[in-house]
Amino acid sequence: MTVTLPATETTGRPAHRDGNVLRWLGAYTASTIGDSVYYMALAWAAARTGSASQTGLVLAAGSVPRAALLLGGGVLADRLGPRRVVVASDTARCLVILGLAGSLLLTSPTVWMLIAVALVFGAVDALFLPAVGALPPRITAASQLARVQGLRGLATRTANVVGAPLGGVAVALGGPVLAFAAAGVLFAVSLPLLLAVRMSPLPARDPADARPAGTAWRELADGLGYIRRHPMLGPLMLVVAVSELGFVGPLNLGLILLSEERGWGASGMGWVIAAFGTGAGASALLLTVRGRVPRAGLVMCLTVLTGAVAIGALAYVPSVPLAAGVAVLVGLFAGLGGALCGALTQTAADPAYLGRVTSVSTLFTHALAPLSYPVTGAAVAFWGTGPVFVASASLCAAGAVTGLLLAPLRRAELPG
């Protein structure tokens, strides 16, 4: 039996030609580039202000409130509506970063000032991330959500390519002040675009299914219970949790350690990272153009499994060109699997719960998975890169195999 996910009203217009979606995409791109510029400026200011350990503390500070408040951000997105939360978040980020830029015109930065800004930014991120993930089903038809995930992937790759160099140029021309100001302006640019996005109302719910509004804790528990009871979302969150734990270690810290071990240097690592980005960008473009992938649940699991094999192979290639070739495959298959995961989440979840569902998946990808970095570093120091990459790839593959064994996920389809 094939599981077909519910579709919303269609507009008859592909997402990449829909002005409403394009306004959202422009706002998301500007905000994401602003993120990249902000992190570049923060890292530079921290490195020029404090020691290496203090710089690490500044850069890590934002992850604490992000992890602690992320699930609450999902509750807020469902209570107030995702666009309202996204607009408020981008407004807060704009004011905080422009305020910091203005302060630095009058005084030199201190480590504690930067930590305070990072904490506030991380707290606002905890509200922004679930809300921005819950927006697409409210701005386009369910049949276009795979395309929207492709467009979002292209925006993310654009931000990776443009944001860091833009931040570097701003720092070179005007120091952290100009870089922070540029980030604040980019957040400001996103606001009128977001306000111009038309939002479809939530579908009417059966009174028997409706639950009375309660405390935030009760609504969070209700959302977690909804995921646990759902035949497809529960298995999907399990796949996300397991596969992300195996994915982020090798592709972030592990790649740095591999480059040092092989003597590839920073330039070699840069080529491998660029190749991964190329593969991920190609998968996003493919999904944008194609618009729908048949047997999406099965394809998602198989692409994650193939990407896991490529991750394991990455530690054993003897040269930078071969490593770059394998990294293209990792980016292509892992990127496609991630985009399909997002599309399945958005089409399967009841819109009234989507903020909370998104917050759970984001918790695994943005908050908990990075905790594997210390474990990855210690394991590489003890066993070397090869065994650690294989172990991580095996964990990632275990997530994919779990999805293949669970029929509701394996048989899931995107709306046609």
Side-chain angles (χ1 to χ4, degrees):
M1 177 179 177
T2 298
V3 177
T4 302
L5 304 177
T8 61
E9 180 184 357
T10 60
T11 63
R13 185 182 302 171
H16 60 288
R17 297 178 183 173
D18 185 342
N20 200 46
V21 173
L22 293 179
R23 285 190 291 273
W24 165 83
L25 182 65
Y28 179 76
T29 303
S31 184
T32 307
I33 294 174
D35 274 340
S36 296
V37 175
Y38 158 75
Y39 285 115
M40 168 66 75
L42 185 70
W44 181 264
R48 296 294 298 270
T49 302
S51 64
S53 60
Q54 289 173 326
T55 299
L57 183 62
V58 170
L59 297 180
S63 63
V64 176
R66 186 182 300 116
L69 301 176
L70 200 53
L71 295 179
V75 172
L76 200 63
D78 287 336
R79 270 192 172 189
L80 303 181
R83 182 175 64 172
R84 188 177 299 176
V85 175
V86 170
V87 169
S89 301
D90 262 354
T91 301
R93 297 200 290 183
C94 175
L95 294 176
V96 168
I97 300 307
L98 289 179
L100 176 61
S103 298
L104 294 182
L105 289 173
L106 305 175
T107 184
S108 298
T110 66
V111 170
W112 292 111
M113 177 192 297
L114 298 176
I115 288 176
V117 170
L119 289 171
V120 172
F121 203 89
V124 175
D125 256 1
L127 307 182
F128 175 83
L129 291 170
V132 79
L135 265 176
R138 303 283 296 276
I139 63 174
T140 190
S143 60
Q144 296 300 312
L145 287 174
R147 272 201 173 97
V148 169
Q149 289 302 306
L151 291 169
R152 186 177 176 181
L154 289 174
T156 301
R157 297 303 154 194
T158 299
N160 291 341
V161 171
V162 173
L166 180 60
V169 169
V171 167
L173 293 177
V177 173
L178 182 58
F180 283 124
V185 168
L186 284 164
F187 294 138
V189 167
S190 73
L191 293 175
L193 293 170
L194 282 170
L195 292 171
V197 172
R198 298 186 306 275
M199 300 284 291
S200 62
L202 287 174
R205 302 186 70 192
D206 188 332
D209 295 332
R211 294 174 181 264
T215 65
W217 283 110
R218 183 173 297 176
E219 291 188 31
L220 176 58
D222 183 29
L224 296 176
Y226 169 76
I227 294 172
R228 186 181 65 253
R229 294 187 302 270
H230 196 284
M232 199 274 284
L233 287 176
L236 184 58
M237 294 301 109
L238 178 62
V239 171
V240 170
V242 175
S243 59
E244 281 292 330
L245 284 174
F247 179 79
V248 297
L251 268 297
N252 290 280
L253 177 62
L255 187 57
I256 297 172
L257 300 176
L258 178 65
S259 298
E260 290 182 352
E261 183 180 286
R262 296 295 175 84
W264 293 345
S267 62
M269 185 181 70
W271 281 110
V272 175
I273 293 174
F276 171 79
T278 300
S283 70
L285 182 60
L286 173 66
L287 201 56
T288 300
V289 173
R290 186 173 177 86
R292 182 178 181 272
V293 175
R295 306 186 72 180
L298 176 62
V299 172
M300 185 203 76
C301 295
L302 291 177
T303 53
V304 171
L305 183 60
T306 306
V309 173
I311 289 172
L314 190 59
Y316 293 96
V317 292
S319 65
V320 170
L322 287 176
V326 174
V328 168
L329 296 178
V330 175
L332 180 63
F333 288 105
L336 184 56
L340 289 174
C341 174
L344 287 168
T345 299
Q346 292 176 349
T347 51
D350 183 328
Y353 286 96
L354 189 52
R356 281 164 284 181
V357 174
T358 304
S359 72
V360 171
S361 63
T362 306
L363 181 68
F364 293 129
T365 56
H366 283 75
L368 298 184
L371 296 178
S372 66
Y373 293 164
V375 177
T376 300
V380 168
F382 193 78
W383 287 296
T385 54
V388 172
F389 268 67
V390 170
S392 297
S394 299
L395 186 60
C396 190
V401 171
T402 299
L404 291 172
L405 294 176
L406 297 171
L409 179 55
R410 184 180 70 247
R411 297 171 180 171
E413 292 279 4
L414 291 172

